[in-house]
Amino acid sequence: MSDTSALVAPRQAAEPRTRSWMLSPYSLPVHMLRIAGSCALPLIMWFSLGRVVRWGLLLLAATISHGSWYQARLIATVFLFTLVVMTSLATTVGMLHVIRGALMETQARRAAGEGREGIFGALNRTALLFAGIYMTWGFVLQDVRDFMDIDLFRQPDVIFTDAFSGQDSKVMEGLTNLDLTISLVGMVLAYVLKTVFGRKHEASEGRFSGIVATFGELAFVFYGINVVATAVDTRSGWVGSRTALVALKEWVTDAEANVPGFAAFWGFMGDAWPYVVEALILPLAWLTVGVLVYGAYVDDTETTIRGTRLETVAARMEQTHTLTRRVAARLTAGWTERWIPLINAFRLTVRGGAPLFGLFALCYVGLQVGSDYLGRAGRYLLAGDRPYFWFVTDVPVEFVTDLVTTTLTMCLIAATFDLAATRSRLGR
């Protein structure tokens, strides 16, 4: 027994010295580059495949959005655009999934007989929350812009020739010209789809229930855009004349006039809020997606509330009447499934330490700024004297820029999760 202890003790003593610098929050950039170097090939393959499928779907959607049977074509256009967002989801999950083998946390889980989940399980679990983040924080706007650009550059002269002849070319309008009645029918069908499969997903039934529910939720939103567009066109003054909005505007005006410093504070908040979103909220949102891909435990309510006052409340709820528990479960069902992963991801990041999240947010912003400079450098180096030569060079420059930025961003998310989860596990 003493001989065994003598052999194990030096190994245990050497392990902290070996891992001390690797577990430091300040090793995050090195950890990110290590993951990128070891997983470069599968990351490039996943990104390239996802980008080709995405651009193919956008081109197909823009092509079929013109011609006879116009409304039927627009139904297919919205359907294809929904697939575009689903392709972005699959690409993100795929890129995060292929590098999980390079993470210290994944290796520790596999050594303990855990963490052997396929990509479809991660995709099914991540789909609904990814759709919420994608829509809430405006990532879908880039897809809309790309659709409009492709539709315009397919026939760049049509929009002008039709305008001179007094006709509506319907260029760049394939996502908003759907008839109101058809849009309402599409919304109802999409709502039924997302409700049925959403309940199956909540009950952990069906291997692809979360993916189908996500498709229904996205389709519900995109068909609803046409309803909103029609309502805005027909009742353009309705929103601005509502009592609540009028009262809010009056309150802000009075506060700016009567409260000292309120105008400066309100203006500062208006100027600073976009930077807060870009620098703090968006990195946390993407980190939440990474946590969902890598850890099934983020869906565990007990893990989330452990060590908080909610744990005491939950214990008391178990002692209440059966009817009370059923009513509470009904009221909190949707909140639990949608927000528990976000809260748990935030708690995991906090356990990793404030320096880790601060450095993660700093690196995330640095990658976005570096992406802009990389794109400018590429356009400058490939610039030529021929007119409109940028038509030829713009696409490869954009592809390479997005490839580098997206790959490093996925590696940054993975490295942050790895450090936070490993530090949390060793701390326990």
Side-chain angles (χ1 to χ4, degrees):
M1 187 71 174
S2 59
D3 294 339
T4 306
S5 302
L7 292 174
V8 175
R11 186 184 305 171
Q12 292 177 342
E15 185 176 5
R17 288 197 298 268
T18 303
R19 291 187 173 184
S20 59
W21 71 271
M22 296 177 62
L23 295 178
S24 171
Y26 303 103
S27 68
L28 179 61
V30 177
H31 201 30
M32 174 192 70
L33 294 176
R34 181 187 68 82
I35 295 174
S38 60
C39 304
L41 181 59
L43 284 170
I44 293 173
M45 293 176 62
W46 263 102
F47 178 85
S48 302
L49 178 62
R51 188 52 60 96
V52 169
V53 172
R54 177 179 178 271
W55 282 104
L57 289 172
L58 285 172
L59 178 60
L60 181 60
T63 302
I64 68 173
S65 64
H66 302 279
S68 57
W69 295 82
Y70 184 61
Q71 290 299 319
R73 288 174 174 270
L74 293 189
I75 295 175
T77 300
V78 176
F79 175 81
L80 291 173
F81 189 78
T82 306
L83 291 181
V84 169
V85 180
M86 296 296 292
T87 301
S88 298
L89 163 64
T91 304
T92 301
V93 174
M95 293 181 71
L96 290 171
H97 191 270
V98 295
I99 58 180
R100 63 185 302 159
L103 306 184
M104 296 181 293
E105 179 67 13
T106 303
Q107 295 170 3
R109 290 187 192 178
R110 289 177 176 175
E114 303 174 356
R116 298 187 179 277
E117 182 186 39
I119 186 173
F120 289 109
L123 185 62
N124 194 52
R125 183 177 61 250
T126 312
L128 279 171
L129 182 62
F130 180 90
I133 293 174
Y134 204 81
M135 301 297 294
T136 301
W137 298 110
F139 295 113
V140 70
L141 296 179
Q142 184 61 48
D143 296 324
V144 175
R145 285 191 290 265
D146 290 339
F147 169 82
M148 296 173 67
D149 289 343
I150 289 179
D151 197 18
L152 176 62
F153 283 106
R154 280 180 60 254
Q155 295 176 316
D157 58 327
V158 171
I159 190 172
F160 300 107
T161 56
D162 287 356
F164 283 123
S165 62
Q167 298 179 359
D168 184 6
S169 64
K170 297 182 174 59
V171 175
M172 301 187 296
E173 298 177 1
L175 298 176
T176 57
N177 269 0
L178 199 59
D179 182 75
L180 178 60
T181 303
I182 298 177
S183 300
L184 289 172
V185 172
M187 286 183 65
V188 171
L189 294 177
Y191 181 81
V192 172
L193 184 69
K194 79 183 187 71
T195 302
V196 172
F197 283 91
R199 290 178 178 177
K200 287 186 176 182
H201 179 64
E202 293 170 6
S204 300
E205 298 177 358
R207 188 180 181 185
F208 305 104
S209 56
I211 299 174
V212 178
T214 302
F215 181 86
E217 188 156 341
L218 292 172
F220 178 79
V221 173
F222 295 143
Y223 283 112
I225 290 175
N226 292 274
V227 177
V228 174
T230 305
V232 170
D233 289 340
T234 55
R235 304 180 67 180
S236 57
W238 185 84
V239 175
S241 62
R242 294 305 88 196
T243 304
L245 291 180
V246 172
L248 178 62
K249 292 178 181 178
E250 292 178 352
W251 181 83
V252 172
T253 303
D254 293 341
E256 290 178 347
N258 301 320
V259 178
F262 183 82
F265 170 78
W266 191 257
F268 172 77
M269 288 299 298
D271 295 336
W273 179 247
Y275 298 103
V276 173
V277 172
E278 292 287 341
L280 296 177
I281 296 180
L282 292 186
L284 181 59
W286 280 118
L287 185 60
T288 304
V289 175
V291 172
L292 277 175
V293 172
Y294 291 131
Y297 62 89
V298 294
D299 291 320
D300 185 5
T301 307
E302 295 181 0
T303 302
T304 302
I305 66 176
R306 186 176 298 144
T308 65
R309 295 182 180 180
L310 290 177
E311 186 176 13
T312 305
V313 175
R316 292 179 179 176
M317 282 295 298
E318 291 297 327
Q319 303 173 2
T320 59
H321 192 271
T322 305
L323 179 61
T324 305
R325 293 200 301 269
R326 288 180 180 176
V327 172
R330 291 275 184 174
L331 292 175
T332 60
W335 186 91
T336 301
E337 278 76 23
R338 291 181 181 275
W339 297 107
I340 287 299
L342 279 171
I343 299 173
N344 216 338
F346 180 72
R347 288 196 69 193
L348 175 67
T349 310
V350 171
R351 289 171 184 170
L356 177 62
F357 180 73
L359 188 57
F360 165 69
L362 183 63
C363 292
Y364 179 88
V365 174
L367 286 176
Q368 308 310 310
V369 175
S371 175
D372 292 338
Y373 280 103
L374 181 61
R376 292 182 185 181
R379 294 183 183 91
Y380 176 79
L381 292 175
L382 296 180
D385 297 332
R386 299 178 182 178
Y388 303 106
F389 187 67
W390 59 272
F391 278 4
V392 179
T393 60
D394 228 25
V395 173
V397 168
E398 181 181 356
F399 178 84
V400 173
T401 302
D402 290 346
L403 171 63
V404 174
T405 305
T406 305
T407 299
L408 291 179
T409 300
M410 296 299 107
C411 293
L412 176 64
I413 293 170
T416 305
F417 163 80
D418 195 20
L419 290 176
T422 303
R423 288 164 62 89
S424 178
R425 175 172 50 82
L426 295 179
R428 293 194 302 269

